[in-house]
Amino acid sequence: MEYRHLGRTGVKVAPLALGTDNILNPTPEAEAKKMILRGIEAGINLIDTANSYMRGEAERVIGETLKESGLRDQVLIATKAHYPTGPGPNDRGNSRLHLLRACEDSLKRLQTDYIDLYQLHRPVFDMPIDETLAALTDLVRQGKVRYIGSSTAPAWKVLEGILVSELKGYVRFVSEQPPYNLLDRRIENELVPMAQAYNLALLPWSPLAMGMLAGRYAEDNIRPEGSRARLRGGIYAERVTPRAVEVGNRFVKLAREAGYDPAQLALLWVKDQPGITAPIIGPKSVEQLEHLLPVLDMKLPEDIRIACDGLVPPGSAVANFHNSAPWMKMQI
């Protein structure tokens, strides 16, 4: 397997990361633990989670699994903070107060002394980033966090953090976690070039476009059983549009005619795009995980890359996977 550097660090990660947003919603705990162990066995060494996934219960399941198996030191735990953890005005955001509290709570649930990659789940625009970076720097110096990153932030906001860190001697972002798939390629316009210039790891989420690139959506008005569009609705359902489904099904046809499984090819396309470190997969079962694991050792042929560009040109989009980020004004 080709392991890749996590940005400018000396740490190497597998070209796929294991996402955990489905733990307990809908994946049962026993199945989730099996998925985590199978992923590690296959060579995946970055497990991504957040303190908001099932109100922290995903972190608990990860912590128990790694403690029971004795595999904590074989993996990198990446978690996030930002979203509300309580009803109060300070139970959210990227303030020093909230981040220090959130980190301590995550450490307890994960049953670990340190978090390998601590990420800002979303950016904040109404406070100086200095406060956030100073708090994260203290956590690193205390040994509670190894590296820091961000998620679903505009390129300028990530770069602001990098430059402020350089100016003031704060710990520096090593990664950004954006939405990215063949149906929404907008990060290629600014974020990807910036990440390549500043050696920032990119860990994309939703590489299968919620199943639209795996052939799960025959018609726009059908929400497949067990899909996020049906189970969660809201922003998830908003991403499923007639245009997105139509292009997604054209991709499915392309994949099958070329002899590929659509889900594997959709993931492979993201994995082998320029600047990408490791897309985050979010299987609901061990069976789904097994289906995606072969991508770890696959390479994207150039003719397939060109054919995909014909479906959705570089830098464009036919679905809005940035709809959980209010800063993205472009609508599809």
Side-chain angles (χ1 to χ4, degrees):
M1 186 193 307
E2 172 202 0
Y3 284 85
R4 300 171 174 179
H5 280 285
L6 185 68
R8 69 204 294 259
T9 77
V11 175
K12 290 186 176 181
V13 297
L16 297 179
L18 181 62
T20 59
D21 192 19
N22 286 317
I23 288 182
L24 303 181
N25 185 25
T27 307
E29 183 167 329
E31 183 75 1
K33 289 184 175 182
K34 291 177 183 178
M35 282 196 307
I36 293 169
L37 295 176
R38 177 62 186 121
I40 297 172
E41 180 184 46
I44 293 177
N45 64 341
L46 177 61
I47 300 175
D48 181 76
T49 190
N51 67 352
S52 59
Y53 294 171
M54 284 302 292
R55 300 171 297 280
E57 285 296 289
E59 289 183 325
R60 177 189 61 78
V61 172
I62 293 168
E64 289 182 3
T65 304
L66 296 179
K67 183 175 183 179
E68 292 167 359
S69 64
L71 296 176
R72 170 65 183 96
D73 291 337
Q74 293 189 28
V75 300
L76 306 174
I77 296 176
T79 192
K80 314 179 198 73
H82 169 81
Y83 284 118
T85 56
N90 294 311
D91 296 331
R92 66 200 69 200
N94 299 343
S95 69
R96 178 183 185 86
L97 179 63
H98 179 62
L99 290 177
L100 295 185
R101 287 176 176 173
C103 183
E104 294 295 340
D105 291 341
S106 288
L107 288 169
K108 292 175 184 176
R109 286 189 293 265
L110 290 164
Q111 298 188 56
T112 185
D113 296 326
Y114 63 96
I115 294 165
D116 297 280
L117 178 62
Y118 201 42
Q119 304 159 107
L120 304 176
H121 210 153
R122 289 294 185 272
V124 167
F125 299 93
D126 61 355
M127 60 170 277
I129 198 170
D130 307 52
E131 176 175 342
T132 299
L133 292 172
L136 294 173
T137 298
D138 286 346
L139 289 172
V140 171
R141 289 173 178 170
Q142 292 166 10
K144 297 176 180 178
V145 169
R146 298 290 191 258
Y147 299 102
I148 67 166
S150 62
S151 176
T152 317
W156 73 264
K157 193 64 175 174
V158 181
L159 183 56
E160 177 193 38
I162 292 173
L163 297 180
V164 169
S165 291
E166 294 289 341
L167 179 65
K168 299 198 172 185
Y170 295 144
V171 65
R172 187 183 189 270
F173 289 137
V174 304
S175 65
E176 159 62 16
Q177 189 180 123
Y180 185 44
N181 53 59
L182 182 62
L183 301 183
D184 193 338
R185 303 182 60 172
R186 285 175 287 178
I187 69 168
E188 296 171 359
N189 294 314
E190 294 186 3
L191 184 64
V192 172
M194 184 277 292
Q196 290 176 304
Y198 288 87
N199 204 0
L200 188 80
L202 292 178
L203 308 170
W205 55 267
S206 203
L208 305 187
M210 289 176 31
M212 284 187 283
L213 295 172
R216 296 200 67 197
Y217 291 78
E219 300 175 21
D220 170 57
N221 62 352
I222 293 177
R223 302 289 183 252
E225 192 69 35
S227 69
R228 290 189 180 184
R230 170 172 285 191
L231 294 175
R232 303 189 185 185
I235 59 172
Y236 301 97
E238 291 170 5
R239 296 166 185 163
V240 183
T241 65
R243 177 63 172 152
V245 170
E246 186 266 330
V247 175
N249 286 333
R250 286 170 58 195
F251 168 81
V252 170
K253 181 181 178 181
L254 181 157
R256 290 173 176 160
E257 289 178 350
Y260 286 89
D261 172 82
Q264 291 180 352
L265 183 59
L267 180 59
L268 176 61
W269 182 88
V270 176
K271 178 179 79 74
D272 286 357
Q273 284 297 101
I276 299 304
T277 304
I280 299 169
I281 56 175
K284 297 184 179 72
S285 65
V286 174
E287 181 182 6
Q288 287 187 2
L289 175 61
E290 291 285 1
H291 186 67
L292 297 175
L293 288 177
V295 178
L296 286 166
D297 297 308
M298 295 169 64
K299 298 293 182 183
L300 181 68
E302 188 60 24
D303 62 328
I304 299 295
R305 186 193 307 275
I306 293 171
C308 290
D309 287 348
L311 293 176
V312 183
S316 65
V318 295
N320 185 14
F321 277 79
H322 284 82
N323 64 338
S324 63
W327 55 265
M328 174 59 79
K329 305 304 180 187
M330 178 181 176
Q331 299 299 313
I332 305 302

